[in-house]
Amino acid sequence: MLTINFKKWNTITGWLTFLIALTVYTLTLEPTVSFWDAGEYIATSAKLEVGHPPGAPLFQMLGAFAAMFATSPDKIAAMVNWVSALSSAFAVLFMFWSATNILLKVVKIGTEKLSNHTVIAVLGSCLIGALTFTFSDTFWFSAVETEVYAMATFMLALLLWLGLRWIDAIDEPRGNKWLLLIALVVGMSFGVHFMALLAIPSIGYLYYFKKYPKVTVKNFIIANVVVVGVLLIVFGFLMPYTMIFFGKSEIFFVNSVGLPFNSGTIIAF
């Protein structure tokens, strides 16, 4: 009997879930404005204007890029809405790959070799889980209109998958390249929605259970304190004080020194 190539079929099935989700969301896409923040986000994206605080600059820049492909002004809303559809399809993709990564670790406990039936069970159950999420009510709603939650969910799913890949490669010579990519995505998530930062504790726990397989009350409490501390540093310190530093620099160099606009921002950078 031929042995199923798990890596190959994991990739193929993952992209299949992506295509199913993208097709569903494209077919059910809002053709125009839905009556809440979506209208503001479409307008501020298409014209690259300032949205309501704290803002979502990366989200709006991607929306502006999508708006460039509108065939007529009345199609701009649909094109910006499609950014959410694409983001949600990617969220489903990385949710599937995260699920297969975790489930494969579970079924391999005490087993040297996986049978074809086990591989099919892992891929099939994760496919069902991913498609169930695809058609879930709230997620489907956010996937077809211009709101930040679709892209934030994509970044949340991406960060979890990157965390799993980092843990798998952590003992390899170049394994920490995944950690650098995690840091990049965390930084980019500031330009969409802070919700994506909720992946930070889960990545911290992945590291803890990888490096400290023997769990004790003491080291588990320390792990909890550390992961919450990292989240607070990123969310409560790095983000606001970086923005404050840029803002204060701009005011000082323009108002006090007399340099032209944006000079303070450039100097701060």
Side-chain angles (χ1 to χ4, degrees), residues 15-222:
W15 284 111
L16 176 64
T17 61
F18 170 83
L19 290 174
I20 292 172
L22 184 62
T23 301
V24 169
Y25 299 147
T26 301
L27 292 174
T28 58
L29 193 72
E30 287 278 3
T32 183
V33 178
S34 47
F35 293 106
W36 66 310
D37 291 351
E40 176 204 347
Y41 276 125
I42 291 169
T44 56
S45 294
K47 297 295 185 180
L48 272 182
E49 297 170 343
V50 179
H52 67 266
L58 176 60
F59 176 81
Q60 289 170 296
M61 284 190 286
L62 292 172
F65 178 74
M68 292 168 57
F69 296 92
T71 54
S72 60
D74 63 319
K75 300 296 183 184
I76 290 175
M79 288 305 303
V80 182
N81 286 340
W82 194 74
V83 174
S84 291
L86 185 63
S87 299
S88 298
F90 273 113
V92 171
L93 171 67
F94 286 108
M95 178 189 172
F96 173 82
W97 280 339
S98 295
T100 56
N101 184 294
I102 295 169
L103 189 55
L104 190 66
K105 288 180 171 65
V106 173
V107 299
K108 286 178 73 174
I109 296 175
T111 305
E112 290 295 325
K113 189 176 181 181
L114 294 174
S115 66
N116 287 348
H117 296 298
T118 304
V119 171
I120 293 170
V122 169
L123 294 175
S125 58
C126 292
L127 175 63
I128 292 170
L131 292 180
T132 301
F133 182 60
T134 300
F135 291 96
S136 59
D137 185 73
T138 304
F139 184 70
W140 194 349
F141 264 96
S142 70
V144 296
E145 63 181 9
T146 300
E147 254 298 350
V148 293
Y149 306 114
M151 193 175 293
T153 306
F154 157 55
M155 288 191 160
L156 192 62
L158 175 60
L159 282 170
L160 176 60
W161 180 76
L162 289 174
L164 290 165
R165 292 302 303 269
W166 175 44
I167 294 306
D168 290 341
I170 198 168
D171 295 323
E172 296 176 5
R174 291 169 55 84
N176 284 331
K177 65 184 179 182
W178 296 102
L179 183 59
L180 295 175
L181 193 52
I182 288 167
L184 174 65
V185 176
V186 167
M188 292 173 64
S189 71
F190 286 141
V192 179
H193 194 276
F194 295 160
M195 181 177 82
L197 299 181
L198 295 175
I200 291 175
S202 65
I203 296 171
Y205 285 122
L206 288 172
Y207 176 85
Y208 164 68
F209 286 113
K210 177 72 173 183
K211 289 295 186 179
Y212 301 93
K214 186 177 180 181
V215 179
T216 65
V217 174
K218 180 182 177 181
N219 64 28
F220 184 68
I221 292 173
I222 293 172

Side-chain angles (χ1 to χ4, degrees), residues 187 190 233-250 264-265 268-269:
F190 286 141
I233 289 171
V234 174
F235 177 69
F237 180 78
L238 286 180
M239 170 58 184
Y241 286 100
T242 301
M243 296 297 101
I244 289 171
F245 173 66
F246 272 75
K248 297 282 188 183
S249 298
E250 179 69 13
T265 302
F269 178 74

